[in-house]
Amino acid sequence: MKTALVIGGSRGIGRKIALRLATDGYDIVATCRKDIAALDPLKSEVGNLGRKFNGLVFDIQDRKAAADALTGFFGESAPDIFVYNAGISRDNLMVFMTPGEWDDVVHTNLDGFYNTIHPLLFQMIARKSGRIIVIASASGQVGQPGQVNYSASKAALIGVVKALAKEVGKKGILVNAVAPGFIETDMTADLPIDKILPMIPLKRAGSPEEVAGVVSFLCGSDSTYIHGQVIAINGGLVI
Ligand code: NDP
């Protein structure tokens, strides 16, 4: 049975990606930051779909904790699908941005990728197959005022995807990013939707399921020649 690892699978987009990949037939390994109980709803839903579920708890900022958890679980093997979904925002105008706001976002969103893929990449390369999907953001494509830290981290992840795709494509590993726009989750719950909707041609927020569907496509058999790309899911916010 094939396994999909979703980094940040407890809530929002990551949870729906895990469910969709379970529906597609993958066993699921999902991670969260602090509390294993946060993965309980996903565990039972994946079980109801007839797939195996395992949860791992670690802070992706913590390089050693990430490596210990991932190598402890996967050993000499590796997931078939690696979805890097975990991410945070700490919005502020750059002139007021605290060192903590900058560091927390960059260390989570960017360093967290290194901390979670690096313990697994050698085994993926040795197996000569796999998919790596990174959840970037429209903010990383165009830059967003009040989100210099977040935009920088997501633009960096887009750079990561393009460079890594050139390294590992010949090893049979497809690497792509998706760049969601405004998706209804905890992360966007406090944003002023009335100010954002006028900027979106479709005049509505996106759903986590709409992101999960594109990730499913990028993990499936109809996307085998898509590599090193950034697929926007934003209702036309960035055209
Ligand atoms: P949520 O805040 O709903 O969920 C974030 C997930 O990331 C949770 O599973 C959380 O785990 C995990 N996570 C965050 N920080 C850490 C950490 N330090 N260590 C381990 N896990 C961590 O976010 P969304 O579902 O909205 O966003 C998912 C991804 O999509 C993010 O990368 C985000 O930047 C991106 N995105 C979201 C958009 C949106 O409009 N919502 C738009 C564009 C991109 P826990 O539950 O334990 O905290």
Side-chain angles (χ1 to χ4, degrees), residues 7-15 31-35 38-39 57-62 84-90 104 107-109 135-139 150 153-154 157 178-188 191 206 208 211 233:
I7 304 294
S10 49
R11 293 184 281 130
I13 293 170
R15 180 156 169 254
T31 80
C32 68
R33 182 173 6 192
K34 280 189 203 135
D35 182 7
L39 292 167
V57 180
F58 57 88
D59 187 331
I60 60 171
Q61 290 196 39
D62 185 335
Y84 184 68
N85 168 78
I88 59 166
S89 58
R90 298 281 182 270
D104 213 14
H107 290 164
T108 302
N109 296 2
I135 312 302
S137 171
S139 298
Y150 184 79
S153 70
K154 293 297 186 177
L157 284 175
V178 300
F182 183 68
I183 310 296
E184 277 183 325
T185 68
D186 293 347
M187 180 179 277
T188 53
L191 295 182
V211 180
I233 311 165

Side-chain angles (χ1 to χ4, degrees), residues 14-188:
R15 180 156 169 254
K16 293 299 180 184
I17 289 171
L19 279 175
R20 179 61 193 262
L21 293 177
T23 305
D24 292 345
Y26 291 91
D27 288 339
I28 300 297
V29 182
T31 80
C32 68
R33 182 173 6 192
K34 280 189 203 135
D35 182 7
I36 190 80
L39 292 167
D40 283 350
L42 178 63
K43 179 181 181 178
S44 62
E45 284 176 290
V46 169
N48 290 341
L49 291 166
R51 304 266 74 94
K52 284 191 197 142
F53 179 86
N54 284 280
L56 302 175
V57 180
F58 57 88
D59 187 331
I60 60 171
Q61 290 196 39
D62 185 335
R63 187 160 296 156
K64 183 172 182 312
D68 287 351
L70 293 167
T71 54
F73 182 80
F74 285 101
E76 299 299 310
S77 70
D80 300 276
I81 309 282
F82 176 94
V83 181
Y84 184 68
N85 168 78
I88 59 166
S89 58
R90 298 281 182 270
D91 296 353
N92 209 343
L93 291 174
M94 187 63 169
V95 70
F96 301 123
M97 189 169 290
T98 66
E101 288 166 343
W102 178 271
D103 287 349
D104 213 14
V105 168
V106 172
H107 290 164
T108 302
N109 296 2
L110 179 57
D111 297 354
F113 178 77
Y114 176 87
N115 296 343
T116 52
I117 192 66
H118 199 257
L120 302 169
L121 190 59
F122 182 83
Q123 293 93 299
M124 289 181 81
I125 288 171
R127 199 188 46 210
K128 296 191 171 64
S129 69
R131 308 279 171 106
I132 295 173
I133 313 289
V134 172
I135 312 302
S137 171
S139 298
Q141 293 180 293
V142 294
Q144 191 64 28
Q147 290 197 317
V148 172
N149 51 356
Y150 184 79
S151 293
S153 70
K154 293 297 186 177
L157 284 175
I158 289 171
V160 161
V161 162
K162 292 179 179 181
L164 186 59
K166 290 181 179 178
E167 285 191 11
V168 301
K170 59 182 172 293
K171 299 296 184 185
I173 301 171
L174 302 186
V175 187
N176 290 289
V178 300
F182 183 68
I183 310 296
E184 277 183 325
T185 68
D186 293 347
M187 180 179 277
T188 53

